[in-house]
Amino acid sequence: MFGIVRPCTHRLTEGLKTEWMAHLCGLCLALRADHGQLARVVTNYDGLIVSVLTEAQTGLTPAGRRTAGPCPLRAMRTAPVARGEGARLAAAVSLVLASAKIRDHVADRDGLLARRPVAAAARRVARSWDRAGARTGRSLGFDTAVLVDAVDRQTGIESLAGPGTPLLVVTEPTETATAAAFAHTAVLAGRPGNAAPLAEAGRLFGRLAHLLDAVEDQAADAETGSWNPLTATGTSRQEARRLADDALHGIRLALKDVDFADGRLAHLLLAHELRTSVDRAFGTTTCAHGTPGPGQGPVPGNPYGAGAPGPYGGGGNPYGGGAPYGPHGGGPYGGGAGGHGGGGAGGPGGPGGPPPQFGAGGPQRPRPRGFLAGCAMFTWLFCTCQICCAKEYEGPWSRKKREGCCRGCDGNCDCPCDSCCCPCDG
C-alpha cells in the first residue's frame, strides 16, 4: 500500500478503523469489479480519501456497505466494505493517474520498460486503464481529461523549471487535479455548496503531497541524478516546511466550511493524520514504535521538535518516483521511481529484499524497483499477507520500510486527538 495519509491504527477508534478499512477495501474491490484483477495494484491510501469524502457528506446508508468475502489482507476474514459512487470515483481517478504514469515511464525507458516487448505490453495496459478510467468517470459525470491534462502540463513545467522558479509553479498541476477530484465528491453527494471548499482542500492536499514526496526523495534523487522539485528550484527545506504548514492550516479552514453528515473520519485523515505525515516527512515527530532512518534527523530551526523516523513509515507511489502527474516530481500518490508503493518484504536482509548496501556515506537505501518488478513483488506480498501482518517489510516499488497495516501499536504513541473529537485551532 502507498500514500501520504497512512494512519497508524492505534490512533483510530475501533469504529473509525473499521470505516477506514471499509473504504480501503472498497477502493480495491471497485477497481477489480470495474477494471479487472490487474487494476487492483493501483490501490492506494490517498485515493480512498475520495470515497471517504463522498460518504462523509451523504452519511452512511445500508446501500453504502456490503460484506466482502475472505481476503489475505484481512487474514482471510470477511468484512463490511464501502461501495457506491464514491468508491468508483476513487477507482477511476487512481486508474487514470496510473495509466499516465506508465506511459511516462515507457517514454523515459525506465528499467525493463527500455525493452521493446515489455514497453509494448505496458502501453497496452496503459491504454486499457485510460479507457476504463475515462469510461467510469463519464458514468459518474467526472471528466478525467483534467487529470490527463495535469500529467501533460507537469512534464513541460518541470522541463522549464530552474533555480528561482517558484515551487508552487511546479506543484500547480498536482493541485489542479486533486482539486477537481475532491470537488466532484460534492456533486456525487448532492451537496453542490461543498464544491468550492472541497476544491480548496483538494488543491492544498495536492500541494502537500507533492511537497512531501519531494522532501522524502531529495537525498535518493541526488544519488541517482533524478529530477527533484526542491533541488531544481533551489528551494530550502525550511521554505518547503513553511509551505507545508500553510497548506495544513488552509485545509483545516476549508474543512470548516464543508457541510458534512458525519465528518469524523475525513477530519481525522485530513486534519490530524496529514499533520503527522508532514512531521514525519520532515523528521520532527514519530510514533513511539517507530525507529529513525538514515539521514532523517531534525530540520534546523524547525519549531516542531527533535528528529524522527522516515516519512510515513514508507510512503511510495504506484506510478513511480517523483510527481504523480509528471515524470520526476512528487504528487498525491508520491513515491520512489518505478512504482506506486514500497519494495520487497522483511526490510534489509529480510525475505524479498537484499541486504543493506554500504558505501562511503554509510548504509544506503536500495534502489527502487521498476514498475513490472514492483507489480510482481506486490503480488507476492499481497498473497503472503505481509502487507497486512508483517512487523516490517519493504514496499514493492520504492523499497522503503513499511509496517503491516493491521499490526497494532504498543499504545504509547503520542496521539494528536482523542477519537478525532478535538477543537482544531484552524
Side-chain angles (χ1 to χ4, degrees), residues 10-11 275-276 285-289 410-417:
H10 80 283
R11 283 194 295 270
R275 177 180 63 186
T276 300
T285 63
T286 179
C287 254
H289 68 280
D410 57 13
N412 296 322
C413 298
D414 185 14
C415 184
C417 66

Side-chain angles (χ1 to χ4, degrees), residues 53-59 85-86 89 140 182-195 198 258-261:
L53 286 173
T54 304
E55 187 174 277
Q57 296 171 81
T58 61
E85 293 183 332
L89 176 62
L140 299 171
F182 275 41
H184 198 69
T185 65
V187 177
L188 296 182
R191 295 181 181 248
N194 288 341
L198 284 174
V258 180
D259 182 16
F260 286 125

Side-chain angles (χ1 to χ4, degrees), residues 119-270:
R123 289 191 191 96
R124 285 196 295 271
V125 171
R127 285 195 296 268
S128 174
W129 284 358
D130 218 0
R131 291 193 297 266
R135 185 170 58 250
T136 300
R138 283 194 301 271
S139 71
L140 299 171
F142 180 68
D143 187 0
T144 57
V146 65
L147 307 181
V148 177
D149 176 69
V151 175
D152 294 339
R153 288 191 297 108
Q154 186 76 54
T155 304
I157 289 172
E158 290 179 358
S159 65
L160 296 175
T165 300
L167 187 59
L168 298 188
V169 171
V170 180
T171 64
E172 180 275 323
T174 306
E175 297 176 19
T176 300
T178 50
F182 275 41
H184 198 69
T185 65
V187 177
L188 296 182
R191 295 181 181 248
N194 288 341
L198 284 174
E200 177 67 6
R203 183 179 67 82
L204 295 172
F205 180 86
R207 177 183 301 179
L208 263 179
H210 204 142
L211 286 172
L212 297 191
D213 186 68
V215 169
E216 178 187 359
D217 290 342
Q218 189 173 24
D221 289 342
E223 292 176 4
T224 61
S226 300
W227 194 92
N228 183 279
L230 300 182
T231 304
T233 61
T235 304
S236 67
R237 289 174 71 91
Q238 287 80 3
E239 173 62 11
R241 179 63 196 242
R242 185 190 68 79
L243 292 172
D245 288 340
D246 285 349
L248 282 174
H249 186 66
I251 288 173
R252 287 190 171 187
L253 292 176
L255 291 178
K256 287 181 179 293
D257 294 331
V258 180
D259 182 16
F260 286 125
D262 181 358
R264 290 177 301 160
L265 182 58
H267 175 79
L268 184 140
L269 295 177
L270 292 173

